[in-house]
Amino acid sequence: GIFQSTKKLVLSKRVGRGRMLEFLRKNAANGLSMANLVAGLTSILCSFNRQYSHSCQLLLVGFLLDLADGAVARWLNACSALGAKLDDFADFTTFGLATALLLQPQGVLDGLLVIAYVMAVFARLCFFSSGIPFTYRGLPCPYASSLLAGTFLLTEGNVTLLRVTAAIMILFMVDQGLYPHDKVLESQLWKKVVYAGGVAAILFLPVAVASIYCLTWSMSYIIFPYAIWSGK
C-alpha cells in the first residue's frame, strides 16, 4: 500500500519533470523569438514617446536574440512551422516596423520612405528564398536594423543621414544578391567570440562603445559577406 503509493508518486513526478523538460526543449527557441517580439514592440512604444535612444538599444538586443533563436532550435532539434512563423513575425515587428520608426517621418516623402523600408523587410521575409543551402537572397534585415540603430546612436539622431542609410539598406534588402548564412553560434570559434562580445558590449559597456561594436559587425557582413562571414 504505502510502497505502491510512494512508487506512483515518484513515477508521476518523473513523468511530470520529463514533460516539463520536453516542453522547455521544444519552446526554448520560441521563447527567444517572443523576447525579440517584445523587444520590438517596446522599441515601437519608445519611439512613440520619442525615446529613440532606448528604441535603438532594444533593436540591438533584438539583433542578438534573432541570431540566437535559430541556433537554439537546431541545437535542440526543435525546428517547427510554428517557430518559423513566430520568428518571421518577430523579425517583421522588430526589424521592420520598429526600425522604420527611427526615421521619424514628418511629411509625405518621409512617410513613403518608411513604407518602402517596411515593405522591403516584408518582401525579404516572405518572398526571397535562395534555394541554395546556407545562403540568403538579399541582405538579412537584422543587419540593416543593427546598422541603422548603431548609426542613430553614434550620430545622436542625425535623421538626414539615417534616411540616406535606410534608402541604401532598402536597395541591399531587395537586391537578390547572395549572402552567406553565417550561423554565428554554430560556426567557427571566432564568430562565437564576436557574438559574446556583442552581448557583453550591450549589457556592460557605454552605449557609444556598444554602437560602434554592432555597427562594425553589421558593416563587415554587409560589405564583405563572403570574404569574412562565409561558413567553412
Side-chain angles (χ1 to χ4, degrees):
I2 295 176
F3 175 75
Q4 289 296 331
S5 298
T6 304
K7 185 177 179 182
K8 286 181 181 178
L9 182 62
V10 170
L11 287 174
S12 66
K13 284 185 175 179
R14 285 180 180 172
V15 170
R17 189 181 297 113
R19 287 176 178 169
M20 178 61 71
L21 290 173
E22 181 64 11
F23 176 82
L24 292 174
R25 183 188 72 79
K26 287 184 176 180
N27 290 283
N30 292 346
L32 290 172
S33 293
M34 282 296 295
N36 182 14
L37 176 60
V38 170
L41 292 171
T42 308
S43 176
I44 290 171
L45 291 175
C46 288
S47 291
F48 284 155
N49 289 291
R50 308 193 69 80
Q51 297 175 331
Y52 293 108
S53 177
H54 295 318
S55 296
C56 292
Q57 292 173 57
L58 286 163
L59 291 177
L60 295 180
V61 170
F63 172 66
L64 294 177
L65 289 170
D66 183 67
L67 290 176
D69 59 18
V72 169
R74 287 184 288 270
W75 273 337
L76 298 177
N77 191 27
C79 297
S80 66
L82 171 63
K85 289 178 182 177
L86 182 59
D87 183 45
D88 282 347
F89 186 70
D91 285 355
F92 178 72
T93 302
T94 303
F95 308 124
L97 297 175
T99 302
L101 286 177
L102 295 179
L103 302 177
Q104 304 173 48
Q106 300 293 325
V108 175
L109 289 177
D110 301 341
L112 288 175
L113 179 61
V114 167
I115 292 171
Y117 191 92
V118 172
M119 292 306 295
V121 172
F122 176 76
R124 171 66 187 74
L125 291 171
C126 293
F127 303 117
F128 282 23
S129 175
S130 69
I132 305 170
F134 312 117
T135 304
Y136 296 115
R137 191 177 291 280
L139 174 67
C141 47
Y143 287 94
S145 175
S146 174
L147 182 73
L148 288 177
T151 300
F152 191 101
L153 290 169
L154 284 177
T155 62
E156 297 182 348
N158 186 320
V159 180
T160 302
L161 178 59
L162 198 73
R163 288 171 183 167
V164 172
T165 306
I168 295 170
M169 290 301 100
I170 289 172
L171 297 176
F172 272 93
M173 285 190 285
V174 298
D175 179 73
Q176 297 200 27
L178 300 178
Y179 284 83
H181 194 319
D182 48 317
K183 290 191 174 183
V184 174
L185 292 176
E186 303 164 83
S187 191
Q188 298 103 312
L189 177 61
W190 71 265
K191 293 182 184 177
K192 298 174 186 176
V193 172
V194 168
Y195 184 90
V199 174
I202 289 173
L203 291 179
F204 304 115
L205 297 180
V207 172
V209 177
S211 302
I212 292 171
Y213 191 96
C214 291
L215 192 63
T216 304
W217 181 357
S218 300
M219 286 186 68
S220 70
Y221 180 83
I222 293 168
I223 299 173
F224 306 110
Y226 281 94
I228 297 178
W229 289 97
S230 62
K232 302 236 176 124

